[in-house]
């Protein structure tokens, strides 16, 4: 049975859609503008004549980026850190969250102490220089592991997982224990399969944060060839100076003369964000469910 | 059953690890650097050189990148045509331990200085160089320089008679090698759209009054003939007080008409260095700009437009006149030509508002000093390596082939010279020499084979442009060079004339910021910039400039002036 909508409700809906639509456009249009600029002719970009459709279509910016092996190197590093970081993070998160989800002091006596121990890291951190010094004294400067280990256990994700574990009926666990399973088997065979939604959410957080991280690459890596993709993007967007291309280069490779700073930056931003954008639609729903997940405790 | 899944998970993990490992070794060509062991691995990896292994001198180096470096094949920053050359010809293994571009480099440098972790050789900005040199943390390079520097290197570094090298000395000893700045190239020229002049039947201005008339015509007489009121008389951007220049749209050329400069330190007839930004001439110049602003000749949004925004206006054909540097054909003007092949630009000498001829200001801007750590065992490596670039690129007998290997690759346009360490660009003579060579060749006084191969490359482009009927719409690049280094180029028509008639004024201070500059200068600069903008836009009367001058002096300006004089006397005294 359809409830008849009141007039004020209709007005509300219309205004609501308009506001949300504008909000959506304000996110989408800059991206479209970048897209148009990255495919446009230099003279048009320089005259600021490009809006939402490429003018003087060409692919010089993309050719410039894709002919540089730095892009591929950085891409491989980012891919590696996402995959490896995801696995390591997930293992650590589960191993921490499971014991911490045990309320009963007879099962885990020092739970409170450990919970606070971890929670403090969420609120306070060492700050930039001490963190850098720790990483440096552990000889991880210039090493791939510096991108993974310092952030190997995001406490926020532990909280989500922990609360989800707590929400599962205790009776299932007791049944498993009665049947002779030990704690580890219970965790792996009972809890993990039941917590797929929460693990998916956490995975999404991890993957996105690893993909987007750039600052650690900047401070821990001493040579650009070791930069992850986002650090490379950062360095290009802030530092790329089209005037550094010498007159001699322009003369010998007229294609270079087609390149603009804005075009290069736009193209690279798209090349760096599109891969992660593509997985968003598939994982979007976990974001929504993930945020409220575990918020209601039994 | 369940165990299988765990195994599967572990195996997947192992596979991922191996993929990462493969990726790493693949990307560096399999012969060098993962993690901290790059030196040892790289050495053993470079087989075929094993006999010399022990004879190699290893030197670590911290390098500021251009940000446009590109590597091909298995090359990388530690393994390329230059590093191989250092190794083969000099027996020096140069390890780039830290490299970054722009501000990132400064951060890395600060971190290295703070943790006392400096490599053997260091690429230093002026401020850090002066701090370290005075703190005794840099090696004395005087003997290395005297012994090992090739004639060509000395010639390049001392092209200005050793003025810039003097800034690298402490108590008469050299502690660093400055990357010389081509000061002559920093003077302002007046760029005008000649097609607009023709449309309106005007002549290029030679005095300030004429310039204002031209600006008025450009603003109100529809110079582009499109029937729309969409043009400005003269283009300016927002940065009035800026150390490293602002082109297009600089104010320095305009101020020079009144014998004033916004940011220069000038030696007066008494031998004392004074700040020109507080000259009386500035007041007259600002009053004139205010008048032009009131008359609508200047874009009222100039106060928020940077050089990029102004360039957009130029490229879109809204601006027909501006002050700018010699290289302007590369930027906005070229885009303007491509968008509108009827457009044409030409540079003219700046005009004077008084009976005195206008003298443009030039600035020495030493971007970096190359120095060696005081603990470095082989500081002479720096000089030896610096010789290489001179010999390969700069030498007059350098061949086309060397240039292809060590300079710009003709097929891909990759600039190998960017890989070089301590690349002293002979910026001071380069444009002049090349221009003279190109002119002589065009006039038939010499042949392509006789001139420097880099100049020959430019010559070919220019010749091609001339031979093809100077069709700038088709060949905007040819036009570009024609207007830069060709017969109608800025060097030919104006800068050499400036030089010959002794019209260039050089700002004498180019050291590291003095103590009071570090604390007070940014506030003073801000005050100066605000005063200038306010006067131009009429929100402050021109007479308030006097108030600014007394404020400037009392808020640290006088102390800075004393410090600058002290620097000048110790450096050149």
């Amino acid at each position: 049975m359809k409830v008849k909508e009141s007039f004020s409700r209709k007005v509300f809906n219309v205004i609501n859609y308009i506001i949300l639509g504008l909000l959506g456009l304000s996110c989408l249009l800059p991206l479209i503008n970048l897209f148009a600029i990255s495919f446009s002719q230099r003279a048009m970009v320089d005259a600021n004549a490009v809006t939402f459709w490429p003018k003087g279509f060409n692919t010089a910016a993309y050719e410039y980026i894709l002919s540089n092996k730095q892009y591929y190197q950085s891409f491989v590093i980012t891919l590696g850190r996402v995959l490896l970081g995801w696995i390591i993070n997930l293992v650590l998160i589960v191993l921490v969250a499971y014991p911490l989800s045990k309320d009963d002091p007879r099962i885990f006596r020092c739970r409170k102490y450990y919970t606070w121990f971890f929670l403090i890291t969420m609120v306070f951190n060492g700050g930039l220089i001490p963190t850098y010094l720790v990483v440096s004294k552990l000889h991880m400067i210039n090493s791939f592991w510096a991108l993974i280990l310092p952030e190997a256990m995001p406490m926020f994700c532990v909280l989500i997982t922990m609360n989800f574990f707590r929400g599962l009926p205790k009776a299932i666990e007791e049944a498993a224990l009665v049947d002779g399973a030990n704690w580890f088997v219970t965790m792996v065979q009972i809890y993990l399969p039941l917590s797929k939604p929460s693990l998916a959410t956490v995975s999404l957080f991890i993957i996105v944060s690893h993909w987007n991280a750039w600052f650690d690459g900047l401070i821990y890596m001493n040579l650009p060839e070791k930069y992850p993709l986002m650090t490379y993007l950062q360095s290009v967007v802030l530092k790329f100076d089209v005037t550094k291309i010498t007159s001699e280069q322009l003369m010998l490779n007229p294609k270079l003369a087609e390149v603009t700073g804005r075009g290069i930056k736009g193209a690279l931003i798209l090349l760096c964000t599109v891969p992660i954008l593509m997985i968003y639609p598939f994982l979007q729903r976990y974001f929504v469910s993930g945020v409220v997940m575990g918020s209601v405790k039994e | 059953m369940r165990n299988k899944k765990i195994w599967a998970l572990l195996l997947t993990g192992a596979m991922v690890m191996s993929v990462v490992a493969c990726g790493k070794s693949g990307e560096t060509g399999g012969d060098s650097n993962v993690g901290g062991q790059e030196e040892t691995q790289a050495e053993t990896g470079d087989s075929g050189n094993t006999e010399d292994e022990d004879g190699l001198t290893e030197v670590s180096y911290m390098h500021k990148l251009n940000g446009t470096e590109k590597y091909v094949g298995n090359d990388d920053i530690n393994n390329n045509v230059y590093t191989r050359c250092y190794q083969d010809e000099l027996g020096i293994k140069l390890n780039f331990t830290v490299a970054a571009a722009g501000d990132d480099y400064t951060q890395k440098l600060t971190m290295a200085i703070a943790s006392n972790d400096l490599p053997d050789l260091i690429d230093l900005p002026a401020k850090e160089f002066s701090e370290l040199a005075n703190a005794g943390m840099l090696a004395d390079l005087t003997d290395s320089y005297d012994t090992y520097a090739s004639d060509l290197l000395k010639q390049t570094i001392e092209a200005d008679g050793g003025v810039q090298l003097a800034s690298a000395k402490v108590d008469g000893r050299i502690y660093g090698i400055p990357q010389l700045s081509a000061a002559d190239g920093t003077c302002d020229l007046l760029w005008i759209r000649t097609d607009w002049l023709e449309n309106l039947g005007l002549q290029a201005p030679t005095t300030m009054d004429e310039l204002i008339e031209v600006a008025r015509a450009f603003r109100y007489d529809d110079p582009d003939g499109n029937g729309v009121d969409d043009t400005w008389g003269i283009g300016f951007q927002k940065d009035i007080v800026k150390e490293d220049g602002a082109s297009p749209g600089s104010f320095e050329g305009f101020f020079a008409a009144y014998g004033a400069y916004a940011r220069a330190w000038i030696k007066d007839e008494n031998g004392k260095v004074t700040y020109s930004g507080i000259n009386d001439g500035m007041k007259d110049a600002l009053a004139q700009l205010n008048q032009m602003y009131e008359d609508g000749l200047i874009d009222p949004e100039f106060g928020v437009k940077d050089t990029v925004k102004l360039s957009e206006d130029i490229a879109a054909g809204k601006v027909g006149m501006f002050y700018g540097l010699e290289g302007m054909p590369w930027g906005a003007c070229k885009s303007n030509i491509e968008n509108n092949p009827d457009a044409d630009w030409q540079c003219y000498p700046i005009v004077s508002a008084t009976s005195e001829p206008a003298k443009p200001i030039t600035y020495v801007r030493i971007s970096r000093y190359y120095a060696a750590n005081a603990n470095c065992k082989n500081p002479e490596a720096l000089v030896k390596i610096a010789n290489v670039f001179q010999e390969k690129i700069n030498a007059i007998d350098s061949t086309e082939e060397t240039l292809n290997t060590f300079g710009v690759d003709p097929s891909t346009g990759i600039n190998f010279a960017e890989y070089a360490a301590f690349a002293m660009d002979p910026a001071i003579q380069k444009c002049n020499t090349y221009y003279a060579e190109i002119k002589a060749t065009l006039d038939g006084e010499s042949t392509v084979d006789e001139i420097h191969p880099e100049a020959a490359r430019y010559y070919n482009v220019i010749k091609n442009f001339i031979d093809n009927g100077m069709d700038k719409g088709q060949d905007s690049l040819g036009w570009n060079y024609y207007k830069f280094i060709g017969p109608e180029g800025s060097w030919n028509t104006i800068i050499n004339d400036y030089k010959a008639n002794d019209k260039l004024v050089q700002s004498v201070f180019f050291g590291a910021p003095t103590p009071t500059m570090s604390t007070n200068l940014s506030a003073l600069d801000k005050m100066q910039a605000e005063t200038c903008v306010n006067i131009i836009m009429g929100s402050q009367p021109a007479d308030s400039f006097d108030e600014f001058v007394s404020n400037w002096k009392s808020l640290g300006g006088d102390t800075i002036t004393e410090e600058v004089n002290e620097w000048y006397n110790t450096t050149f005294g």
Side-chain angles (χ1 to χ4, degrees):
Chain A
M1 188 181 83
K2 195 162 181 269
V3 179
K4 195 167 172 245
E5 287 188 348
S6 68
F7 175 71
S8 57
R9 173 81 195 169
K10 278 181 190 156
V11 172
F12 170 78
N13 271 345
V14 169
I15 294 175
N16 207 12
Y17 279 121
I18 290 176
I19 291 176
L20 286 179
L22 287 178
L23 213 61
L25 275 182
S26 72
C27 296
L28 198 61
L29 292 184
L31 213 59
I32 298 178
N33 178 240
L34 272 186
F35 175 82
I37 285 175
S38 70
F39 278 111
S40 293
Q41 201 184 340
R42 189 180 57 85
M44 288 298 180
V45 177
D46 278 356
N48 201 15
V50 182
T51 49
F52 300 120
W53 194 250
K55 285 191 181 156
F57 183 88
N58 76 68
T59 54
Y62 289 89
E63 282 166 40
Y64 183 83
I65 292 168
L66 295 177
S67 67
N68 192 343
K69 71 176 181 174
Q70 172 83 53
Y71 175 73
Y72 304 98
Q73 283 171 350
S74 295
F75 200 95
V76 168
I77 292 173
T78 289
L79 221 55
R81 81 177 280 182
V82 166
L83 286 176
L84 199 62
W86 175 57
I87 291 171
I88 290 180
N89 281 12
L90 217 52
V91 168
L92 291 180
I93 287 168
V94 169
L95 286 181
V96 171
Y98 183 65
L100 289 186
S101 68
K102 301 297 165 221
D103 288 332
D104 193 337
R106 283 167 302 174
I107 299 174
F108 185 10
R109 206 176 297 151
C110 299
R111 190 188 78 94
K112 241 191 188 135
Y113 166 74
Y114 279 105
T115 312
W116 280 109
F117 180 78
F118 286 120
L119 272 181
I120 284 172
T121 64
M122 217 171 125
V123 188
F124 305 100
N125 60 53
L128 177 61
I129 310 263
T131 313
Y132 175 82
L133 287 177
V134 169
V135 173
S136 144
K137 295 288 178 214
L138 292 171
H139 301 291
M140 288 200 293
I141 297 295
N142 253 350
S143 145
F144 178 66
W145 293 102
L147 303 177
I148 295 185
L149 295 185
E151 291 293 325
M153 205 197 70
M155 193 53 204
F156 180 68
C157 297
V158 172
L159 277 185
I160 291 178
T161 320
M162 185 176 92
N163 281 329
F164 190 85
F165 282 162
R166 277 191 201 172
L168 296 173
K170 285 209 173 48
I172 303 182
E173 184 187 58
E174 280 162 13
L177 289 173
V178 166
D179 281 348
N182 60 26
W183 291 111
F184 189 75
V185 174
T186 317
M187 178 184 86
V188 174
Q189 298 193 2
I190 308 291
Y191 272 75
L192 285 190
L194 288 175
S195 351
K196 274 180 199 151
S198 102
L199 293 184
T201 310
V202 170
S203 298
L204 184 71
F205 283 138
I206 297 169
I207 291 173
V208 172
S209 77
H210 261 297
W211 187 275
N212 286 342
W214 60 273
F215 192 63
D216 47 0
L218 186 65
I219 60 174
Y220 298 140
M221 299 297 150
N222 281 338
L223 295 175
E225 60 200 38
K226 299 197 169 83
Y227 282 173
L229 199 53
M230 286 299 159
T231 314
Y232 171 54
L233 173 68
Q234 186 275 150
S235 71
V236 169
V237 169
L238 293 186
K239 315 278 148 50
F240 184 81
D241 181 358
V242 89
T243 59
K244 292 268 171 69
I245 298 178
T246 66
S247 46
E248 217 183 337
Q249 285 174 279
L250 293 181
M251 197 161 59
L252 292 170
N253 186 356
K255 273 235 132 120
L256 283 176
E258 274 307 310
V259 162
T260 52
R262 286 174 70 192
I264 294 270
K265 288 164 192 175
L268 190 57
I269 289 172
L270 290 176
L271 285 172
C272 291
T273 36
V274 162
I276 197 86
L277 273 184
M278 304 229 285
I279 72 164
Y280 253 78
F282 302 103
L283 291 173
Q284 180 84 40
R285 59 201 175 104
Y286 292 116
F287 249 137
V288 180
S289 62
V291 173
V292 292
M293 188 173 291
S295 53
V296 181
K297 222 174 87 180
E298 208 184 327
Chain B
M1 280 295 283
R2 288 289 174 194
N3 279 339
K4 260 190 196 163
K5 280 203 172 165
I6 297 174
W7 275 113
L9 197 71
L10 287 175
L11 279 174
T12 322
M15 264 162 62
V16 171
M17 303 265 266
S18 61
V19 165
V20 174
C22 289
K24 298 283 297 180
S25 57
E27 99 212 8
T28 50
D31 69 346
S32 64
N33 55 54
V34 178
Q37 299 108 25
E38 55 189 59
E39 288 96 71
T40 42
Q41 280 200 5
E43 247 182 75
T44 44
D46 280 335
S47 56
N49 234 337
T50 37
E51 288 168 12
D52 305 334
E53 277 310 314
D54 298 329
L56 283 183
T57 315
E58 284 219 19
V59 195
S60 56
Y61 172 46
M62 208 170 161
H63 177 70
K64 184 170 181 179
L65 294 170
N66 257 349
T68 40
E69 287 86 349
K70 230 176 177 186
Y71 297 95
V72 281
N74 287 337
D75 279 6
D76 59 39
I77 188 165
N78 273 309
N79 176 25
N80 57 56
V81 57
Y82 276 93
T83 59
R84 287 191 293 266
C85 173
Y86 304 147
Q87 206 163 322
D88 299 343
E89 293 185 13
L90 304 171
I92 297 174
K93 172 101 189 72
L94 186 69
N95 292 316
F96 289 74
T97 48
V98 178
D103 297 345
D104 297 349
Y105 179 77
T106 321
Q107 268 176 22
K108 297 255 178 212
L109 181 67
T110 317
M111 215 127 72
I113 294 175
S115 57
N116 201 10
D117 190 23
L118 286 173
D120 295 333
L121 306 179
I122 324 155
D123 186 337
L124 291 166
K127 181 164 167 278
E128 280 77 3
F129 170 75
S130 129
E131 281 169 9
L132 291 177
N134 287 312
M137 289 174 74
L138 298 180
D140 184 347
L141 295 173
T142 320
D143 297 333
S144 311
Y145 182 73
D146 290 342
T147 321
Y148 294 104
S150 64
D151 291 345
L152 198 56
L153 181 63
K154 285 185 179 159
Q155 204 181 316
T156 307
I157 291 176
E158 293 165 31
D160 61 347
V163 172
Q164 298 187 37
L165 186 61
S167 71
K169 289 182 180 168
V170 178
D171 299 331
R173 308 291 287 174
I174 301 173
Y175 283 87
I177 299 195
Q179 169 74 67
L180 255 61
S181 115
D184 292 349
T186 62
C187 65
D188 263 345
L189 314 172
L190 184 59
W191 288 91
I192 303 181
R193 268 190 72 166
T194 46
D195 59 318
W196 285 12
L197 285 180
E198 273 167 34
N199 288 354
L200 301 172
L202 292 167
Q203 293 292 318
T206 52
T207 65
M208 183 52 75
D209 292 337
E210 286 175 29
L211 181 136
I212 292 168
E213 279 324 301
V214 170
R216 201 180 301 277
F218 279 3
R219 171 71 184 86
Y220 294 111
D221 297 351
D222 193 21
D224 52 358
N226 65 352
V228 188
D229 178 17
D230 61 351
T231 53
W232 297 108
I234 180 163
F236 285 115
Q237 49 74 54
K238 67 188 168 77
D239 290 310
I240 299 180
V241 185
K242 198 164 175 242
E243 184 71 22
D244 52 356
S247 171
S250 159
F251 284 89
E252 294 285 21
F254 191 92
F255 293 152
Y258 297 83
Y261 313 103
R263 198 68 168 82
W265 293 91
I266 305 291
K267 205 167 110 177
D268 63 18
E269 53 274 20
N270 308 325
K272 203 168 171 331
V273 180
T274 55
Y275 189 58
S276 62
I278 54 173
N279 269 358
D280 284 343
M282 280 295 281
K283 194 169 140 186
D284 300 337
L286 291 172
Q288 180 64 267
L289 280 168
N290 172 242
Q291 187 57 47
M292 290 165 75
Y293 182 88
E294 300 289 331
D295 292 350
L297 308 183
I298 301 174
D299 183 354
E301 287 178 10
F302 87 93
V304 291
K305 287 199 168 171
D306 57 9
T307 51
V308 178
K309 279 288 166 199
L310 179 64
S311 297
E312 285 173 1
D313 287 346
I314 293 169
K318 289 180 185 157
V319 173
M321 179 160 61
F322 63 85
Y323 288 100
L325 302 180
E326 26 89 344
M328 281 325 294
W330 270 312
C333 297
K334 180 158 162 251
S335 298
N336 183 218
I337 301 263
E338 281 165 25
N339 287 332
N340 175 10
D342 293 334
D344 202 355
W345 289 87
Q346 179 58 42
C347 55
Y348 296 92
I350 61 169
V351 300
S352 173
T354 60
S355 51
E356 296 281 306
K359 293 183 174 179
I361 185 79
T362 64
Y363 292 93
V364 172
R365 301 187 184 102
I366 302 177
S367 52
R368 64 226 289 205
Y369 291 84
Y370 300 112
N373 193 333
N375 299 324
C376 172
K377 292 191 188 68
N378 312 93
E380 76 281 357
L382 196 163
V383 179
K384 285 185 182 171
I385 291 174
N387 282 335
V388 173
F389 183 83
Q390 301 300 317
E391 179 197 330
K392 303 293 181 200
I393 304 290
N394 198 5
I396 188 75
D397 54 358
S398 181
T399 62
E400 178 81 37
E401 195 192 332
T402 333
L403 223 55
N404 289 348
T405 324
F406 290 92
V408 180
D409 181 40
S411 58
T412 56
I414 288 180
N415 189 4
F416 295 129
E418 279 183 313
Y419 307 167
F422 323 125
M424 302 288 167
D425 201 36
I428 293 185
Q429 319 98 312
K430 196 165 165 177
C431 290
N432 254 326
T433 330
Y434 288 3
Y435 151 69
E437 287 179 350
I438 290 166
K439 186 168 187 296
T441 318
L442 283 173
D443 294 346
E445 287 160 20
S446 69
T447 62
V448 189
D449 306 328
E450 288 168 7
I451 63 178
H452 189 276
E454 194 183 334
R457 288 175 168 176
Y458 298 127
Y459 166 81
N460 289 333
V461 174
I462 293 169
K463 186 87 174 75
N464 188 33
F465 175 69
I466 297 172
D467 288 349
N468 288 333
M470 317 218 335
D471 186 352
K472 53 185 184 290
Q474 283 300 312
D475 184 11
S476 59
L477 201 65
W479 175 84
N480 199 162
Y481 287 101
Y482 185 75
K483 288 283 179 183
F484 175 58
I485 207 169
E488 284 180 32
S490 35
W491 281 89
N492 174 17
T493 50
I494 303 184
I495 299 183
N496 283 330
D497 180 54
Y498 279 159
K499 281 170 76 170
N501 297 316
D502 204 20
K503 277 191 185 164
L504 294 176
V505 182
Q506 189 166 310
S507 176
V508 293
F509 177 76
F510 51 88
T514 65
T516 316
M517 277 190 182
S518 311
T519 51
N520 293 15
L521 191 62
S522 62
L524 290 178
D525 281 351
K526 197 165 166 235
M527 184 169 80
Q528 187 186 353
E530 274 171 9
T531 309
C532 291
V533 172
N534 283 342
I535 293 178
I536 294 173
M537 300 181 71
S539 49
Q540 206 170 308
D543 287 337
S544 63
F545 188 77
D546 300 332
E547 196 184 321
F548 152 74
V549 172
S550 65
N551 281 339
W552 189 88
K553 286 181 172 165
S554 61
L555 290 174
D558 275 342
T559 326
I560 291 178
T561 310
E562 276 166 35
E563 286 170 351
V564 167
N565 274 291
E566 203 184 308
W567 176 88
Y568 185 79
N569 292 332
T570 41
T571 312
F572 301 108

